Amino acid sequence: MSSRPKTRSPRRCPCGGMPPYDECCGPAHAGTSPAATAEALMRSRYCAFAMGDAAYLLRSWHPTTRPKALDLQQGPRWERLEIVATTGGGLLHVDGTVEFRAYYRTPDGSPGVMHEVSRFVREKGQWTYLDGHQF
């Protein structure tokens, strides 16, 4: 019998990023490391939707467009994120867009796809979600 403690395998990040959640979107959710790019913020927001983290979604929403509250209890089950394209949104930019497709299942099991171009702005060094245009 081995005396070595069992190690837990890293939990895959819901955004589809290669590092495990604790190294991918987890630090942004915990507030220990803000998203460095607009795409990283998009991924962390998708992950927050998938995990039901309304508080993070509200914190990462631009104050001029942020709703007062979010109810994620009756929402779809998010299954996969596909980044289609990005413009700007890098380390030296103040704004950017991320086009994505988010695949989901409704509460009755029907599949669906949300296709959006989201706009992001960086103020005081922090990226925030401004708004989006759905197709």
Side-chain angles (χ1 to χ4, degrees):
M1 186 166 181
S2 172
S3 63
R4 286 180 37 201
K6 291 184 178 180
T7 58
R8 190 170 59 102
S9 61
R11 179 171 52 153
R12 185 164 189 251
C13 192
C15 82
M18 291 308 293
Y21 170 78
D22 291 342
E23 298 170 29
C24 191
C25 294
H29 291 176
T32 59
S33 181
T37 64
E39 181 179 338
L41 183 63
M42 173 64 240
R43 288 181 174 281
S44 71
R45 286 178 55 80
Y46 168 84
C47 186
F49 272 107
M51 297 175 76
D53 188 348
Y56 176 76
L57 291 165
L58 292 170
R59 280 194 318 272
S60 62
W61 213 307
H62 194 273
T64 62
T65 57
R66 178 188 309 137
K68 291 192 187 306
L70 286 177
D71 180 7
L72 303 178
Q73 297 302 313
Q74 301 301 317
R77 184 180 78 233
W78 298 99
E79 296 187 328
R80 182 169 62 93
L81 175 65
E82 173 189 0
I83 302 296
V84 177
T86 62
T87 59
L91 297 174
L92 302 176
H93 298 111
V94 295
D95 59 12
T97 64
V98 178
E99 180 180 357
F100 69 92
R101 290 186 189 99
Y103 298 83
Y104 62 88
R105 291 214 177 261
T106 62
D108 71 1
S110 301
V113 178
M114 178 181 162
H115 185 184
E116 180 175 304
V117 174
S118 294
R119 292 191 311 156
F120 298 88
V121 294
R122 184 166 50 182
E123 294 178 351
K124 300 177 186 171
Q126 301 282 320
W127 284 104
T128 58
Y129 169 76
L130 183 60
D131 59 22
H133 170 74
Q134 291 186 21
F135 296 93

